[in-house]
Amino acid sequence: QVQLLESGGGLVEPGGSLRLSCASSSSGIQLSFYAMGWYRQAPGKQRELVATITSGGSTNYADSVKGRFTVTRDNPGNTVYLQMSSLKPEDTAVYYCIARITPSNNYWGQGTQVTVSS
């Protein structure tokens, strides 16, 4: 069962920008309580943790996206965003949103495709 809903993926040219969004699929899940993150996976490559944000707003980024990507959450904390700028072809991947419900249990989104190509 899909527990998180993602949107915002698409096709952009190198140097372009996209903003991904992630929210709970149920009003019974309050994401404001949990740390959130974004993973990405390209064909034939290992899934990579791109960015994280805690319930308090502290963030961390993979070296590959530092200075280009920004993860934020809205004031209630139930919607998480990934602003992607200066996109490169190597950023092409399926991007997944996760919520850290417990240290050993995550909720996942269905993934959204980001393609960077001329």
Side-chain angles (χ1 to χ4, degrees), residues 2-113:
V2 175
Q3 297 158 319
L4 304 176
L5 299 176
E6 299 155 323
S7 62
L11 173 65
V12 296
E13 295 187 351
S17 299
L18 283 174
R19 188 181 71 163
L20 308 183
S21 300
C22 174
S24 174
S25 62
S26 172
S27 62
I29 302 174
Q30 299 296 320
L31 297 182
S32 61
F33 294 130
Y34 309 115
M36 305 287 294
W38 291 92
Y39 279 87
R40 67 184 181 185
Q41 187 167 31
K45 296 184 178 180
Q46 187 70 257
R47 184 172 292 175
E48 177 187 24
L49 181 60
V50 173
T52 60
I53 184 166
T54 69
S55 60
S58 180
T59 60
N60 201 7
Y61 300 93
D63 289 342
S64 57
V65 306
K66 284 182 179 177
R68 301 188 299 116
F69 290 12
T70 303
V71 61
T72 58
R73 62 200 308 165
D74 63 3
N75 186 44
N78 288 312
T79 303
V80 179
Y81 305 95
L82 185 67
Q83 178 66 50
M84 304 183 294
S85 301
S86 301
L87 284 163
K88 305 174 180 179
E90 52 263 43
D91 295 318
T92 296
V94 178
Y95 284 71
Y96 299 90
C97 179
I98 64 164
R100 185 75 68 180
I101 305 302
T102 72
S104 59
N105 185 47
N106 298 330
Y107 284 178
W108 289 84
Q110 79 286 353
T112 185
Q113 178 71 46

